[in-house]
C-alpha cells in the first residue's frame, strides 16, 4: 500500500518504519527541513531502541522516504496518516491546530480519493473537524474527491514502541465505512496474524479510547502513590501492600509501582486534555483532576524528603541524581520528575551532580550550562562528594551498585530512592540512611534528620 504520513515525530517515525518493513511504500512529510535532511542522512532525531536501524533499513530498501514536498508525497497515496503533535494549550486542552493545518493542506492538494487516518491524540470530535476542513477546501476548488476520515489512535510505549507496533495488544480503528475497514484489515494484516486484534468502533469512541487508556494508567499510578503516602504515615511497607493487592487478578501488578510521579509526553498531557474536554462538554471530571494533583504532589516528594534530612536547609548542599529521563529506555525529559527535583533544589540553593545513560544531551538542551548543575560521565562520578543521592529513574544500571564504593564516594551516606530499587534493610545494614517511597520509614526520616543535623 502507498502510505503518506504527515509528521516525523515519535509516532510518525515508528509507524512509518514498521509499515515500510513489511512491504508498504511509505512517504513521511514534515515542514522541518533540517529534520528531514537528518533522516535522509541516516540520523534519527529521537532515542528509541531499534528505531535507527529500522529507519536505515527502510531508506536503503527504498520503501521509506522523507520529504518536505507534500504535493509529491500525496501523488500516489492510498492512505494518509496524520501524526503531528497536539501540545497542551494554556487551559490544558489539546491544541489541534497542527492537525487542522494538515487537513487544510490535504483539502487544497488532493487530486484523488483517499482515506485519512488521524493517529494524533485528539479530543473527541476532532476527526469530524478534520473532515469538515478537508471538505471546505475541496469545495472551494470544486474538486470531486471522496475523502473518508477515520480515527486510528496509537498505543506505543516509549522504550518499547517497535514491539508495541509489531505485536499490538489492540488495533483501534474508528470508522463505520466497510471500505475503510477493509483497507485497515489489509494494512494491519502482518501485525494481526495469530489472533484478531482489530477493533472497529465509531470515530468518537476511538478518539475517547486513547484518552481513557492513558487516563486509567495514570490513575493507577497516582492511586498507588497515594497508598504509599498513607503507608509512610502508618508505618506500613508499600512493597508488601503492592504484592498483596497485585495478586488479585482483577487488579494485577501492572502500573502499581509507587515512585516519584509519572511524566513524559502522554500521561500528563492526556489527563489534562481529557479533563478540559469534559469541562468544555459541561462535566467536571473530579477524579481526573485529583489524579493530576496527586502526581504533582508526588513529584515534590523527593525534595521534601531531602529537605527533612537536612533540617529544612539545603543551601550549599550537593545532591547526586541518578536518572533524568521520565522512564528507562528513552531520553525524553518532558515533565520528568527529575526536572521538578532539580529546579526545587536550585531554588533552595543546592547544587546537582547528575547522570543518565541517554538523556544527558536533552538535559543540556533544556538547562544549558549553569554553575548549579554538573553532568557526569557515570553514576559513580555523580556521587563524588555529594551530600546525598536521589534516584529518579529506574535504569537497570542503577539496580545493583557497589554500596561500599558508593559510601566512599558520597560525602554522607544518604539515599533517597524515588523508585524503590533497593531493600531498605539491606542498604541500612551497609551504613546508609535510606528513604524510599512508602517503605514505612517516616520515623526513620525523623531520626536521620537529627543525625544529619548533628553531623553537619
Amino acid at each position: 500500500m502507498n502510505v503518506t504520513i504527515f509528521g516525523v515525530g515519535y509516532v510518525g517515525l515508528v509507524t512509518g518504519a514498521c509499515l515500510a518493513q513489511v512491504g508498504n511504500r511509505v512517504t513521511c512529510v514534515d515542514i522541518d527541513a533540517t529534520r528531514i535532511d537528518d533522516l535522509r542522512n541516516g540520523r534519527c532525531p529521537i532515542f528509541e531502541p531499534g528505531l535507527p536501524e529500522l529507519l536505515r533499513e527502510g531508506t536503503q530498501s527504498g520503501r521509506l522516504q522523507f520529504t518536505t514536498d507534500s504535493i509529491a508525497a500525496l501523488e500516489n497515496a492510498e492512505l494518509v496518516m496524520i501524526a503531528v503533535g497536539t501540545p497542551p494549550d494554556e487551559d490544558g486542552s489539546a491544541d489541534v491546530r497542527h492537525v487542522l493545518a494538515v487537513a487544510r493542506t490535504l483539502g487544497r492538494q488532493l487530486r484523488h480519493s483517499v482515506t485519512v487516518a488521524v493517529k494524533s491524540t485528539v479530543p473527541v470530535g476532532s476527526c469530524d473537524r478534520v473532515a469538515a476542513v478537508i471538505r471546505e477546501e475541496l469545495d472551494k476548488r470544486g474538486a470531486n474527491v471522496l475523502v473518508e476520515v477515520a480515527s486510528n489512535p496509537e498505543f506505543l510505549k516509549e522504550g518499547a514502541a517497535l514491539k508495541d507496533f509489531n505485536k499490538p495488544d489492540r488495533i483501534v480503528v474508528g470508522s463505520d465505512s466497510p471500505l475503510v475497514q477493509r483497507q485497515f484489515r489489509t494494512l494491519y494484516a502482518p501485525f494481526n496474524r495469530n489472533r484478531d486484534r482489530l477493533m472497529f468502533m465509531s470515530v468518537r469512541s476511538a478518539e475517547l479510547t486513547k484518552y481513557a487508556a492513558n487516563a486509567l494508567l495514570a490513575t493507577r499510578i497516582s492511586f498507588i502513590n497515594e497508598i504509599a503516602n498513607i503507608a509512610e504515615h502508618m508505618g506500613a511497607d508499600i512493597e508488601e501492600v503492592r504484592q498483596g493487592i497485585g495478586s488479585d487478578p482483577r487488579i494485577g501488578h501492572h502500573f502499581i509501582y509507587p515512585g516519584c510521579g509519572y511524566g513524559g509526553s502522554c500521561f500528563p498531557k492526556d489527563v489534562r486534555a481529557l479533563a478540559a474536554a469534559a469541562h468544555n462538554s459541561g462535566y467536571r471530571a473530579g477524579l481526573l483532576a485529583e489524579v493530576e494533583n496527586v502526581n504533582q504532589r508526588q513529584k515534590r516528594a523527593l525534595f521534601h524528603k531531602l529537605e527533612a534530612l537536612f533540617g529544612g536547609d539545603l543551601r550549599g548542599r550537593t545532591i547526586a541524581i541518578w536518572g533524568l529521563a521520565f522512564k528507562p529506555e528513552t531520553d525524553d525529559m518532558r515533565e520528568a520528575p527529575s526536572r521538578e527535583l532539580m529546579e526545587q533544589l536550585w531554588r533552595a540553593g543546592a547544587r546537582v551532580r547528575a547522570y543518565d545513560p541517554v538523556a544527558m544531551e536533552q538535559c543540556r538542551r533544556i538547562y544549558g550550562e549553569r554553575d548549579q548543575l554538573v553532568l557526569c560521565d557515570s553514576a559513580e562520578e555523580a556521587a563524588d562528594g555529594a551530600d546525598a543521592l536521589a534516584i529518579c529513574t529506574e535504569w537497570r544500571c542503577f539496580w545493583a551498585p557497589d554500596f561500599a564504593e558508593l559510601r566512599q564516594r558520597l560525602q554522607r551516606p544518604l539515599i533517597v530512592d524515588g523508585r524503590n530499587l533497593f531493600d531498605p534493610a539491606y542498604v541500612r545494614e551497609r551504613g546508609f540512611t535510606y528513604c524510599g517511597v512508602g517503605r514505612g520509614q517516616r520515623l526513620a526520616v525523623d531520626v536521620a534528620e537529627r543525625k544529619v543535623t548533628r553531623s553537619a
Side-chain angles (χ1 to χ4, degrees):
M1 190 177 295
N2 293 320
V3 181
T4 296
I5 299 175
F6 280 79
V8 293
Y10 189 85
V11 175
L13 286 179
V14 171
T15 301
C18 291
L19 290 177
Q21 186 184 34
V22 298
N24 297 287
R25 292 172 296 277
V26 181
T27 303
C28 293
V29 187
D30 202 278
I31 60 174
D32 188 336
T34 301
R35 177 167 280 207
I36 291 297
D37 285 341
D38 285 343
L39 288 162
R40 285 173 173 169
N41 292 313
R43 292 187 292 271
C44 182
I46 62 176
F47 180 88
E48 177 63 35
L51 183 57
E53 295 80 5
L54 201 58
L55 291 173
R56 281 196 295 272
E57 177 187 322
T59 53
Q60 288 170 5
S61 70
R63 293 191 298 270
L64 181 60
Q65 299 180 350
F66 300 97
T67 184
T68 57
D69 187 346
S70 56
I71 294 177
L74 291 171
E75 187 174 352
N76 297 310
E78 300 168 74
L79 175 67
V80 176
M81 291 182 164
I82 301 177
V84 295
T86 52
D89 216 334
E90 291 182 4
D91 62 354
S93 61
D95 182 350
V96 297
R97 73 180 107 177
H98 302 305
V99 173
L100 297 179
V102 174
R104 202 161 295 284
T105 296
L106 295 176
R108 291 170 178 171
Q109 297 180 356
L110 281 171
R111 297 290 183 268
H112 61 278
S113 299
V114 298
T115 296
V116 174
V118 178
K119 291 199 78 67
S120 302
T121 302
V122 293
V124 174
S126 295
C127 286
D128 292 341
R129 295 178 67 188
V130 167
V133 168
I134 294 173
R135 176 48 52 195
E136 177 187 345
E137 294 298 330
L138 290 173
D139 288 345
K140 287 180 183 178
R141 295 163 43 207
N144 185 22
V145 174
L146 175 63
V147 177
E148 297 269 14
V149 177
S151 173
N152 180 214
E154 52 83 21
F155 297 94
L156 305 176
K157 297 187 294 291
E158 290 192 47
L162 300 187
K163 178 185 175 185
D164 287 345
F165 196 98
N166 288 311
K167 296 183 178 180
D169 298 316
R170 74 285 208 197
I171 304 168
V172 173
V173 177
S175 175
D176 57 6
S177 165
L179 175 64
V180 171
Q181 292 181 7
R182 285 197 300 272
Q183 197 170 19
F184 275 100
R185 282 205 177 277
T186 301
L187 179 71
Y188 286 121
F191 314 100
N192 194 39
R193 295 177 66 85
N194 66 343
R195 65 177 175 85
D196 190 4
R197 295 175 172 86
L198 269 164
M199 303 177 68
F200 293 107
M201 58 184 71
S202 71
V203 171
R204 290 188 170 224
S205 294
E207 290 171 327
L208 183 55
T209 295
K210 167 64 177 181
Y211 276 112
N214 281 351
L216 181 56
L217 294 173
T219 300
R220 285 173 67 96
I221 295 172
S222 283
F223 174 82
I224 198 65
N225 281 333
E226 192 80 310
I227 298 299
N229 294 332
I230 294 172
E232 210 162 277
H233 281 74
M234 294 183 171
D237 188 337
I238 191 60
E239 282 301 296
E240 295 173 348
V241 175
R242 179 185 66 78
Q243 293 176 39
I245 64 174
S247 61
D248 186 329
R250 296 170 300 175
I251 298 173
H253 293 282
H254 294 295
F255 283 83
I256 58 167
Y257 288 88
C260 49
Y262 59 77
S265 62
C266 293
F267 287 5
K269 175 175 73 73
D270 291 353
V271 169
R272 294 171 198 146
L274 182 55
H279 175 77
N280 292 337
S281 298
Y283 179 76
R284 181 184 177 278
L287 177 59
L288 295 181
E290 194 54 31
V291 167
E292 168 71 7
N293 291 337
V294 169
N295 191 57
Q296 291 304 315
R297 290 198 300 269
Q298 203 68 18
K299 286 184 178 182
R300 297 189 286 269
L302 294 192
F303 174 79
H304 292 316
K305 290 177 187 294
L306 288 165
E307 194 176 38
L309 283 165
F310 290 99
D313 186 3
L314 285 163
R315 287 174 297 177
R317 303 292 185 180
T318 298
I319 307 300
I321 294 180
W322 285 1
L324 297 170
F326 85 95
K327 62 179 283 190
E329 303 302 329
T330 181
D331 65 347
D332 194 344
M333 287 183 63
R334 283 174 287 185
E335 305 222 26
S338 65
R339 296 181 62 174
E340 180 72 24
L341 175 59
M342 286 193 292
E343 291 167 14
Q344 285 190 304
L345 288 170
W346 293 332
R347 286 193 291 269
R351 297 179 296 271
V352 170
R353 295 175 60 84
Y355 172 73
D356 187 284
V358 302
M360 305 294 271
E361 286 305 315
Q362 286 291 340
C363 190
R364 288 190 181 94
R365 183 185 63 79
I366 295 168
Y367 293 114
E369 299 295 329
R370 55 175 66 202
D371 294 337
Q372 293 173 299
L373 173 63
V374 177
L375 297 177
C376 303
D377 293 330
S378 68
E380 293 78 13
E381 182 186 335
D384 282 341
D387 295 293
L389 167 65
I391 301 173
C392 291
T393 315
E394 63 274 31
W395 285 97
R396 291 182 70 88
C397 60
F398 303 149
W399 288 10
D402 182 334
F403 285 103
E405 179 186 356
L406 182 59
R407 189 174 180 191
Q408 288 182 340
R409 288 179 178 269
L410 287 169
Q411 186 76 17
R412 292 171 176 80
L414 307 175
I415 298 176
V416 176
D417 185 355
R419 297 301 176 186
N420 285 354
L421 296 186
F422 309 134
D423 176 69
Y426 181 89
V427 178
R428 288 172 185 146
E429 285 171 3
R430 277 143 188 82
F432 288 85
T433 295
Y434 176 82
C435 295
V437 177
R439 304 307 302 270
Q441 79 279 12
R442 190 181 184 206
L443 292 178
V445 171
D446 294 339
V447 172
E449 178 185 328
R450 289 195 293 272
K451 286 181 179 178
V452 173
T453 303
R454 283 199 302 270
S455 65

